[in-house]
Amino acid sequence: MEIAPGIVINEKVHFGKPVIKNTRVPVELVIGKLSAGMSFEDIINEYDITREDILAALGYASKILSSEEIKAII
């Protein structure tokens, strides 16, 4: 099931976590690699995905974070 442009979930793939469409590459892996300093080019070559796939992962992560509610516990 496509949950965002280019991002799908399937309970049989990575325990239902979001992955890049038509791959088994988890969104969290792509975001983690970027945060560790890996370049788009390196990710593209390492995981056989496209620049558009990386942008889809970033877009999905942004969407999730924008809807996140943070509550202080005192």
Side-chain angles (χ1 to χ4, degrees):
M1 170 185 357
E2 190 163 7
I3 58 172
I7 306 299
V8 297
I9 56 172
N10 178 337
E11 64 185 40
K12 296 178 182 178
V13 178
H14 288 284
F15 308 103
K17 292 194 174 215
V19 298
I20 304 296
K21 187 175 183 176
N22 299 321
T23 75
R24 298 179 64 83
V25 180
V27 168
E28 67 182 295
L29 178 106
V30 174
I31 302 303
K33 295 297 182 179
L34 288 169
S35 72
M38 200 169 190
S39 71
F40 273 41
E41 187 69 26
D42 289 341
I43 294 169
I44 289 165
N45 291 331
E46 182 79 20
Y47 298 99
D48 196 29
I49 60 175
T50 66
R51 181 177 192 281
E52 290 73 25
D53 293 333
I54 296 171
L55 294 176
L58 287 169
Y60 175 72
S62 175
K63 178 182 170 186
I64 293 301
L65 288 172
S66 70
S67 65
E68 182 180 42
E69 289 186 31
I70 300 173
K71 297 179 182 180
I73 300 175
I74 298 174

